[in-house]
Amino acid sequence: MRTVGVPHPRLPLPEAGQGDDLAAFQTWLEEAIPLLPHLGLEGMAWQDDTLVWELTLAPNLNDKGTGFGGSLNAQTTLIGWCWVTLWLRARQRQQDVVVAEASQRFLAPVRGDYRLECCPQDRHAAATLAERLDERGKGRITLLQRLYCGKRLCLEACGDYAVLPEA
């Protein structure tokens, strides 16, 4: 059980040149963020530079029987945090990541299980972040999140994530 004010132990970095085992990362994440096991995350995968989550609707229902905006908001924020954290880990960096700003636009009700995708806002964003980290030890990146129920786009979100200097 987590204790308020006590950081959760970090997950060891993967071996250089190796990506994270996403199932092991998800298990660690479920321990580190107690809300996560209640959000219906079935699995995560990389598709090029896009982190993709598969989610079930049942634990995220609102009173109308559709997706609860608060859950969807939490998921968009968290997938962005995971994108940056996993990106850093692949580069052998263990730095704290925080969301600095986020916005969502709800386009259609979520009426079934869904897919959440997260990628950089522009194709140069990751390279720019890498340069800033090398120069200053900290940086920011803007990520886009899109939620699809089948082929229907139901939610678009945007988050600005800050990578803090190493302690």
Side-chain angles (χ1 to χ4, degrees), residues 56-77:
T56 58
L57 178 59
N60 299 292
L61 288 172
N62 63 18
D63 59 317
K64 294 161 213 54
T66 60
F68 173 56
S71 291
L72 305 178
N73 179 22
Q75 292 165 354
T76 61
T77 301

Side-chain angles (χ1 to χ4, degrees), residues 33-137:
I33 301 177
L35 176 65
L36 186 66
H38 305 285
L39 291 178
L41 177 59
E42 293 292 314
M44 60 177 82
W46 284 105
Q47 293 177 357
D48 298 318
D49 69 343
T50 301
L51 183 59
V52 179
W53 283 6
E54 298 294 335
L55 297 120
T56 58
L57 178 59
N60 299 292
L61 288 172
N62 63 18
D63 59 317
K64 294 161 213 54
T66 60
F68 173 56
S71 291
L72 305 178
N73 179 22
Q75 292 165 354
T76 61
T77 301
L78 187 54
I79 195 173
W81 181 91
C82 288
W83 190 101
V84 179
T85 298
L86 289 164
W87 182 89
L88 288 167
R89 290 173 55 74
R91 285 148 187 81
Q92 296 296 294
R93 298 184 82 112
Q94 275 203 347
Q95 290 177 253
D96 288 328
V97 177
V98 296
V99 62
E101 186 176 340
S103 63
Q104 302 81 34
R105 202 173 81 182
F106 296 88
L107 305 169
V110 177
R111 300 185 187 279
D113 294 347
Y114 52 99
R115 181 179 76 257
L116 186 56
E117 300 177 357
C118 179
C119 63
Q121 183 177 35
D122 70 62
R123 62 187 175 111
H124 302 292
T128 301
L129 176 59
E131 289 173 15
R132 293 232 166 80
L133 291 171
D134 288 343
E135 293 169 3
R136 301 183 207 158

Side-chain angles (χ1 to χ4, degrees), residues 151-165:
K151 293 185 179 194
R152 186 173 193 175
L153 178 61
C154 297
L155 167 68
E156 289 182 317
C158 182
D160 188 30
Y161 294 82
V163 179
L164 305 178

